[in-house]
Structures are given as C-alpha cells and as structure tokens.
Amino acid sequence: MAISCDITNPNLAPEGLRRIEWAANDMPVLKLVSDRFKKEKPLAGIRMGCCLHVTAETANLMRTLKAAGADVMLCASNPLSTQDDVTASLVKDFEIPVFAIKGENVETFYKHLNTVVDHRPNITMDDGADLVTLLHTKRKTEAKNIQASMEETTTGVIRLRAMDRDGALMFPVIAVNDADTKHLFDNRYGTGQSTLDGIIRATDVLLAGKHVVVAGYGWCGRGVADRARGMGALVTVTEINSLKALEAAMDGFRVCPMNEAAAYGDIFVTVTGNKHVIRKEHFERMKDGAMVCNSGHFDVEIDIPALTTLTGGKKEIRRNHVEEFRLPSGHRIFLLAQGRLVNLSAAEGHPASVMDMSFATQALATEWAVKNAATLKPHVYDVATEIEDWVANLKLQSMKINIDTLTPEQKKYLTSYQEGT
Ligand code: ADE
C-alpha cells in the first residue's frame, strides 16, 4: 500500500537512510527504549500526530514510536528545518507518513498540520505547540480525541503553562522540555554547538576575535555564549532579567543593553523566545557587515518587517541562507536563514548524541502518558523523576562513565539531623 505523504523527492531516500543510521549510532539510550518497545508494544492501538523538526534524529524517534505499536504521522514544526532526504527515507524505508517540505510556505505548513489532525490522533507530540494551538482553535472537535500531548521546547511550554493558568487547556500536556535530561543538555550544549555550526556553514565566518552578541541568557543563550567564547569570540550578553544578567556577568561575559551592543557587534544571535529583540533602532546603529540571526523557536525575535522597511523592501541573496539588506547609510546587514532557527535551517540541528537524551525522554514520557491517561487532567505535567533518572544513568553508561554510590553511613547522614558541629 502506498504511504500517504507530501515530500520533496522520494529519490533522496538512500541518502536519508544513511544519515538516519549514522544518527542512530549516537543514540544508544533511544535504542534501548526502542528494543524494549519492540517487545512490549506499549503504544499498540495509539494513533500519534507528531509536529517536530524533521531531522535524522527525529526519524529515529519516529522508528521508536512505530516499534512501540503506534500508528504515527509526522509534519514539520518549522518551514525551514525539514531534511528532505530524511522525509524520503521515512516514507520509503520505514513506511511512516510524512507531510513536510523544506522551504514550504505558511499555507502548506498549516495544510500539513491539518493533515496530521485529520489522522485523528489520540496522542500528539509538538515542538512549539503549533499542533496544540490548532487543536484549541480551528480544530477543537478533534481535541476531544486527545489523551495527552508532549511538548519539546521552551517556547511551547511557556504558552501551554499560560493556557493551563487560564483554564484553557483541553487535554493533559507533558512538559518534556522542562525535564533536566532535556533542557540542561539539548538547550545548552545542543543549541550552543548547532547555532555556531549554522552561522559558520551559512557564512564561513571566523569567530575568533569577533564581537558576538547573544540576546537572552536562558539555557540556549548560555550554550551559545559559552561555545562562541570557546571559539575565541568576544561575547556580550543582553538580558532583561537581572538575575540572569548577573549570572552572565559573573560567568565573565560583557553585559549591556542591545542599544549599546548594536554599535559594536559583528554577529548577533537571538535566543530569547520574545519578539522584536533586535529592531529598527538597533539596525540603525549597526556596523557595516553586521550579521544577524536567530536560534529561538519562532522567527519573530528579529524585526524583519522593520529591516525591510528601512531598506525600502530591497534585499539581495549573497549566499545560501544569507540575505543582504543595505540601509540608507550604506551599511549592509546580513540576515541569516530568514530569521528562522539558524541551527536547523543552515545546519542539521543538534547532534544526535544530545537528541538521544531528549528523544529517549520523549518516548518514555509518551509511554507514561498512555499508561496514566485515565487519571490525567487537562494540565501541564512534569516528566516523572524515574524517567529522568533512567535516561541520565543510561547516558552515563553509554559514555562509559562510572560514578560513586552513597555508603550506608552517608545515606544515614543525609536523612538525619542529629550530627552537627
Ligand atoms: N531541535 C534541535 N535540533 C534538533 C534535531 N537534530 N532534531 C530534532 N529537533 C531538533
């Protein structure tokens, strides 16, 4: 039977398969989950709708969910992050229906989301809450079928927690992003490395000696700032939160408002989750040749409409993923990846080794949600501690790292209050 799909080119499947298998080499924890799921089939009879970045790593998660017995359908969580060879292989080699085309316009993006909702899923998996939002707006009728949803990213969880506070959630959601096994590693080391990878692949820039300005010092911002420093860049952090600004300062970064940094930055990276963090007054202060990019979930962090207005709508493509905007002053600003996630648009997203932890957590959270569906309420739930402990232990084992265990005396000490000075 032909697998339903909307993808760029099925002939790309051999390259996609090679990349999926290459990624699998670095996903040992997900493999252990997958092996157990194959035997136990914990998702048998479950229809799943997934809206994720369609990468080689995501392909391995889809294989795991299918091995667990789920009837899976996948669409993209971002119009530019899809890897077309992976979509081809998922359809051809793994018989998983995929609706995702790299560079799809917003209309096609939503058409694909609607196709996934047409699949009438009982469980959804989101990266940025677009599927949940659709199920709470235009497709409310289908929301009644949903037992639970998993959310992969900070931006999505913020929105879902706001819905929860307002009593607007129609079904339970698991905040996978908030698990330590996810954000402490994926957001920090994954975003840190893959963002620089995207900037370098797009521009071939030398980072050593450059002024890199990182907007936002959450886990992603920390990762980007730290890795940029490691490459020899002079890093400035901008923040609106005093505690995070203080942390950035004591971590050794220069901290100042964007208006100041705008005047000397060579490369700007937004990772705030907020909109218009770089806007008209900042563009107007920038040096000739400044590069501007975003690694936050949505393409709203850079005020591209303002940049477009400043340049009278004129822009030129300089390289793949690099657009030049020339200001009336003659200064050129280079926008990378159309202001969309530079790490997934111009590079391949986070490396498999870190997605291993995120997606093992996703898979186990899904199993947990299905098991506990009868008792869950429309509310945002954290990932169970046992899942996090299991993932962390197995990741350590896969890295051949042993750690100490508490002696009986130490255990007793930690639970008693008699001993003191
Ligand atoms: N988000 C960031 N990197 C990713 C990857 N490699 N696969 C899926 N989602 C991601």
Side-chain angles (χ1 to χ4, degrees):
M1 196 186 70
I3 303 298
S4 66
C5 67
D6 189 13
I7 60 173
T8 298
N9 180 0
N11 297 330
L12 300 175
E15 176 60 9
L17 181 60
R18 274 194 291 274
R19 290 186 52 250
I20 292 167
E21 286 176 345
W22 179 256
N25 287 335
D26 241 350
M27 304 182 86
V29 182
L30 187 63
K31 166 123 184 20
L32 287 171
V33 177
S34 195
D35 289 346
R36 177 169 69 75
F37 277 11
K38 241 176 246 161
K39 285 189 217 121
E40 296 178 8
K41 303 278 177 213
L43 306 181
I46 296 292
R47 261 196 314 274
M48 283 195 72
C50 303
C51 178
L52 299 169
H53 298 297
V54 185
T55 65
E57 293 73 30
T58 299
N60 285 309
L61 174 61
M62 295 301 107
R63 291 168 73 184
T64 302
L65 299 173
K66 188 172 175 181
D71 173 359
V72 191
M73 186 178 278
L74 174 66
C75 67
S77 60
N78 183 292
L80 267 190
S81 60
T82 298
Q83 298 173 1
D84 289 327
D85 52 353
V86 167
T87 62
S89 176
L90 274 170
V91 172
K92 181 164 178 286
D93 302 310
F94 302 105
E95 301 188 340
I96 292 174
V98 181
F99 293 81
I101 292 175
K102 187 172 176 95
E104 63 195 11
N105 61 24
V106 172
E107 194 190 325
T108 309
F109 177 82
Y110 277 104
K111 190 178 87 186
H112 288 161
L113 257 76
N114 274 293
T115 306
V116 167
V117 175
D118 293 341
H119 182 53
R120 291 186 299 112
N122 326 105
I123 297 279
T124 56
M125 195 179 272
D126 242 331
D127 187 328
D130 278 338
L131 211 48
V132 167
T133 303
L134 186 62
L135 284 160
H136 281 74
T137 50
K138 294 191 176 125
R139 303 295 301 267
K140 270 191 177 153
T141 316
E142 285 79 4
K144 295 187 187 73
N145 304 328
I146 308 290
Q147 292 175 11
S149 184
M150 315 302 128
E151 175 51 53
E152 167 78 4
T153 201
T154 317
T155 298
V157 170
I158 289 171
R159 180 179 284 191
L160 293 162
R161 288 202 190 279
M163 288 168 77
D164 191 9
R165 271 196 305 278
D166 280 0
L169 265 186
M170 293 170 75
F171 44 78
V173 176
I174 318 294
V176 174
N177 175 76
D178 292 4
D180 287 346
T181 46
K182 199 279 180 182
H183 69 270
L184 290 183
F185 302 90
D186 171 314
N187 298 25
R188 183 168 30 172
Y189 307 116
T191 309
Q193 180 168 318
S194 62
T195 298
L196 297 196
D197 187 13
I199 295 169
I200 293 167
R201 288 199 209 192
T203 63
D204 199 27
V205 71
L206 178 77
L207 289 171
K210 294 285 188 316
H211 282 288
V212 171
V213 179
V214 180
Y217 205 62
W219 290 109
C220 294
R222 283 159 210 246
V224 176
D226 197 51
R227 271 26 187 173
R229 174 161 63 188
M231 295 285 278
L234 303 153
V235 181
T236 296
V237 169
T238 71
E239 249 302 335
I240 46 84
N241 177 292
S242 40
L243 210 63
K244 287 183 183 165
L246 205 52
E247 270 188 288
M250 294 205 188
D251 283 344
F253 298 110
R254 182 166 173 184
V255 178
C256 69
M258 182 57 82
N259 213 29
E260 251 175 66
Y264 66 83
D266 297 299
I267 301 166
F268 295 81
V269 187
T270 54
V271 260
T272 67
N274 211 334
K275 75 185 288 193
H276 297 174
V277 176
I278 300 183
R279 48 186 182 265
K280 182 171 181 279
E281 66 259 35
H282 305 132
F283 297 130
E284 285 173 335
R285 292 173 69 84
M286 284 183 188
K287 296 194 300 197
D288 180 36
M291 294 172 177
V292 181
C293 68
N294 166 55
S295 241
H297 184 77
F298 289 118
D299 62 344
V300 295
E301 305 212 10
I302 301 165
D303 187 354
I304 300 171
L307 183 58
T308 309
T309 306
L310 271 175
T311 59
K314 267 201 276 178
K315 60 180 179 186
E316 291 204 38
I317 294 170
R318 285 292 167 219
R319 280 168 67 98
N320 200 10
H321 301 301
V322 181
E323 291 169 313
E324 176 189 300
F325 292 77
R326 193 181 283 271
L327 269 54
S329 63
H331 285 187
R332 296 160 304 158
I333 292 173
F334 298 114
L335 175 69
L336 312 190
Q338 300 167 32
R340 296 199 187 276
L341 287 153
V342 71
N343 59 337
L344 280 141
S345 305
E348 294 170 67
H350 306 351
S353 175
V354 85
M355 294 315 294
D356 184 30
M357 296 181 71
S358 308
F359 284 167
T361 309
Q362 275 282 11
L364 293 170
T366 307
E367 179 189 35
W368 182 91
V370 168
K371 249 189 212 152
N372 293 283
T375 57
L376 299 180
K377 311 228 161 359
H379 170 61
V380 176
Y381 290 86
D382 286 327
V383 171
T385 323
E386 312 85 77
I387 294 180
E388 296 212 52
D389 288 345
W390 191 87
V391 171
N393 275 318
L394 285 162
K395 191 67 181 173
L396 274 175
Q397 278 182 33
S398 77
M399 295 166 79
K400 310 264 184 292
I401 295 172
N402 294 316
I403 59 170
D404 287 323
T405 47
L406 291 172
T407 63
E409 182 194 30
Q410 288 172 327
K411 259 191 206 160
K412 185 159 171 252
Y413 181 79
L414 287 179
T415 51
S416 66
Y417 41 84
Q418 277 85 9
E419 285 185 58
T421 312

